[in-house]
Amino acid sequence: MLKSFFTSIMFILLFCFLLSKPYGFAQNIDSLFNNKPKTKKFQTLSVEGHSFLYGLLRSDAYLRKFNNPVLAAPVALKDYFNQQKIQINQLLKPAILDSAAIKLAFVGDIMWLRNNWGNFIDSAVYAKLSNCDLVFGNLETIIDTTKKVNCFWPDYRTYNSDKQLLNFLQPHKAVLSVANNHSLDKGLTSLQNTIVLLQSKGIYHNGLKTSAQTLYTLVSVKGIKIGFYACTWGVNNPKDKFKEELNLIKGIAPFNRQPLANQEAEKALKQMADDGIDFKIIYVHWGYEYEFYPRQNTMKLARNLAQAGADIIIGAHPHVFQPAELIYTAKDSFNYHTTLVNYSLGNFCTSMYSTETRLGLIENISLIKDKNGKISFTCPTYTYVYNAPHLGNRKRKLLLLDDFIKLYPKEANKKFKLKVSKVISVLE
């Protein structure tokens, strides 16, 4: 009789816990992609994982997709992310933090600029970043000082940037991913030269395999140990003999070609756990260019990485914003682990010419440790920036979006503001 009573109590408690689980705890990803809306044929194009010839033969469709990024998505998927916005907004607000909190900033793709390398960052943007303990980003360009930097027009698939591109990053306060489809644009030696440059500037990095047994990069701030691991779906030339030197996750591109293979990323996360890392951050170069919503395989990979213990997952590659979500992974019958996923932060600095790709952001999140040593993160806040192009006597500049609108009302007209509001609505 007593045993039956305790069994009933346990069942009731478990039932209440299941009811209290946040929205999306056991969401069926495939069901979110039913009833896909009709889109233009060129908008279904994905050149990721294919040969240069494949992309060249479809260059017209590629450019049309660039100018008409895919904002359409199944109703169920949009409803899901709208619910996620509500849940994310319920996270702890940063206004109540004390001095012990660690202030993190996340940005998207740091790209080739063409000109004004040393002065492209406006002082207001720099101030926003310098106020943080750590700045994370994706370095989507080689910086090899032994090679020429093209100033007019780079090759369709290859970049090399001026070392002044990194001037806005402070020593020992910046962490960069070097794993992306442009990592081997100039060969393995140029990537290695880039890493030597990063090391000389005191910039942490991850993405290239090393002889060390530790797969991740350790950064310690205010007594909290942060682990950082970066990986990519591949490189522009799928036959590149050096691509295995990068941290790869196979099965993302080409889309639906092969099953996901994320064992190395999971191994890195296990190493972090075994080493007592307090907070685990993953940068993944995934998804498909000029699409505002992730596809199924990307969302499934996010769940695999969350299950393996990632606390924050930041995506790159689409060059436009994609929404965020919280993934809840059961630890036991009464506890679950929360992972924040930003599927894409878009471009941070770029020479791309569409409004959608010129719009970037700084995402701020703080880490706090409670009296029991548990680390939690706050609700993300977003500061939008805009890549103002070189026009007349005006040099290329990365400005706060609000400042761009005030300084250049003719360019920031009604049509511009409408387009920007649609982009921002994906996140907020």
Side-chain angles (χ1 to χ4, degrees):
M1 184 75 177
L2 190 61
K3 182 178 179 181
S4 176
F5 172 76
F6 280 114
T7 300
S8 299
I9 293 295
M10 290 297 293
F11 177 80
I12 292 171
L13 289 173
L14 180 60
F15 181 72
C16 291
F17 171 70
L18 290 172
L19 286 180
S20 70
K21 286 181 179 180
Y23 179 82
F25 190 93
Q27 184 69 45
N28 182 327
I29 297 303
D30 290 328
S31 68
L32 298 177
F33 290 86
N34 293 333
N35 303 314
K36 292 182 181 180
K38 290 184 178 180
T39 55
K40 301 291 185 181
K41 187 176 181 180
F42 65 82
Q43 291 183 315
T44 65
L45 174 69
S46 58
V47 299
E48 290 82 359
H50 294 287
S51 67
F52 174 73
L53 180 61
Y54 179 93
L56 186 63
L57 293 175
R58 292 159 180 80
S59 56
D60 178 65
Y62 182 86
L63 290 172
R64 292 177 71 189
K65 185 178 180 182
F66 171 81
N67 285 299
N68 300 273
V70 188
L71 193 56
V75 172
L77 185 66
K78 287 192 173 183
D79 286 346
Y80 174 77
F81 280 116
N82 284 334
Q83 289 292 329
Q84 286 296 316
K85 293 174 189 176
I86 295 171
Q87 287 205 9
I88 291 171
N89 196 47
Q90 292 172 352
L91 292 171
L92 182 67
K93 298 300 185 291
I96 66 173
L97 302 178
D98 57 31
S99 59
I102 297 176
K103 293 179 287 186
L104 307 180
F106 298 92
V107 301
D109 298 335
I110 301 167
M111 302 185 71
W112 178 88
L113 291 178
R114 182 178 289 113
N115 55 44
N116 205 29
W117 297 99
N119 298 293
F120 76 93
I121 289 278
D122 184 71
S123 59
V125 178
Y126 180 80
K128 185 74 178 176
L129 292 172
S130 61
N131 190 41
C132 299
D133 295 301
L134 288 173
V135 176
F136 294 81
N138 168 52
L139 183 62
E140 190 147 357
T141 177
I142 293 299
I143 306 179
D144 185 351
T145 57
T146 70
K147 291 185 181 294
K148 180 183 176 182
V149 176
N150 289 333
C151 297
F152 177 66
W153 186 254
D155 179 80
Y156 166 63
R157 297 163 71 88
T158 65
Y159 295 107
N160 184 39
S161 295
D162 192 291
K163 64 180 180 180
Q164 294 181 91
L165 177 66
L166 303 173
N167 285 357
F168 73 98
L169 298 171
Q170 299 180 44
H172 312 296
K173 294 181 68 175
V175 190
L176 297 181
S177 165
V178 296
N180 53 70
N181 57 303
H182 288 283
S183 296
L184 298 176
D185 276 1
K186 303 295 183 181
L188 180 60
T189 300
S190 285
L191 176 57
Q192 292 169 335
N193 289 343
T194 302
I195 288 173
V196 170
L197 177 66
L198 296 178
Q199 291 171 338
S200 72
K201 290 180 170 290
I203 297 175
Y204 301 102
H205 56 86
N206 192 271
L208 177 68
K209 291 184 175 68
T210 66
S211 57
Q213 294 299 310
T214 304
L215 298 175
Y216 65 92
T217 297
L218 170 65
V219 185
S220 295
V221 182
K222 297 180 181 179
I224 293 180
K225 293 188 291 185
I226 298 173
F228 177 74
Y229 179 81
C231 49
T232 178
W233 56 261
V235 293
N236 284 335
N237 178 10
K239 295 183 179 180
D240 196 308
K241 63 180 180 180
F242 294 117
K243 68 178 181 180
E244 297 295 333
E245 298 295 324
L246 293 171
N247 295 338
L248 297 177
I249 291 188
K250 299 177 182 179
I252 305 177
F255 183 57
N256 282 344
R257 177 69 63 85
Q258 56 186 333
L260 289 170
N262 50 278
Q263 294 88 343
E264 191 169 282
E266 292 183 5
K267 183 179 177 181
L269 287 164
K270 185 178 186 306
Q271 277 190 353
M272 294 184 203
D274 293 343
D275 294 345
I277 297 300
D278 298 303
F279 201 77
K280 309 173 188 68
I281 298 174
I282 305 291
Y283 255 67
V284 191
H285 215 71
W286 61 10
Y288 304 90
E289 291 178 313
Y290 320 123
E291 297 182 11
F292 281 99
Y293 287 88
R295 298 192 193 183
Q296 297 103 306
N297 60 349
T298 307
M299 294 185 71
K300 289 176 181 178
L301 173 56
R303 275 145 185 78
N304 292 347
L305 297 176
Q307 180 75 41
D311 293 298
I312 288 181
I313 302 170
I314 303 292
H317 182 64
H319 298 301
V320 294
F321 297 152
Q322 289 187 352
E325 70 168 328
L326 295 174
I327 297 176
Y328 305 95
T329 307
K331 297 173 68 176
D332 53 48
S333 297
F334 300 98
N335 295 285
Y336 53 84
H337 175 255
T338 305
T339 303
L340 174 66
V341 184
N342 275 101
Y343 282 101
S344 175
L345 297 183
N347 294 330
F348 180 62
C349 55
T350 182
S351 62
M352 289 184 173
Y353 61 82
S354 70
T355 299
E356 294 89 345
T357 56
R358 284 177 177 170
L359 188 64
L361 62 76
I362 301 169
E363 178 180 50
N364 290 107
I365 294 171
S366 293
L367 306 183
I368 54 174
K369 180 186 284 188
D370 64 20
K371 60 182 179 181
N372 298 317
K374 181 182 177 181
I375 307 294
S376 58
F377 54 84
T378 61
C379 178
T381 59
Y382 302 112
T383 302
Y384 295 95
V385 296
Y386 191 74
N387 287 267
H390 173 81
L391 287 176
N393 293 326
R394 185 182 78 192
K395 295 195 174 183
R396 185 174 301 279
K397 204 77 173 176
L398 183 65
L399 300 162
L400 296 179
L401 176 62
D402 289 343
D403 289 345
F404 176 77
I405 291 173
K406 291 175 184 175
L407 290 170
Y408 304 105
K410 286 187 178 180
E411 293 175 61
N413 53 30
K414 185 177 180 180
K415 182 178 179 182
F416 172 88
K417 291 176 182 177
L418 179 61
K419 189 174 288 189
V420 166
S421 67
K422 287 182 179 181
V423 174
I424 291 176
S425 69
V426 173
L427 270 178
E428 295 192 81

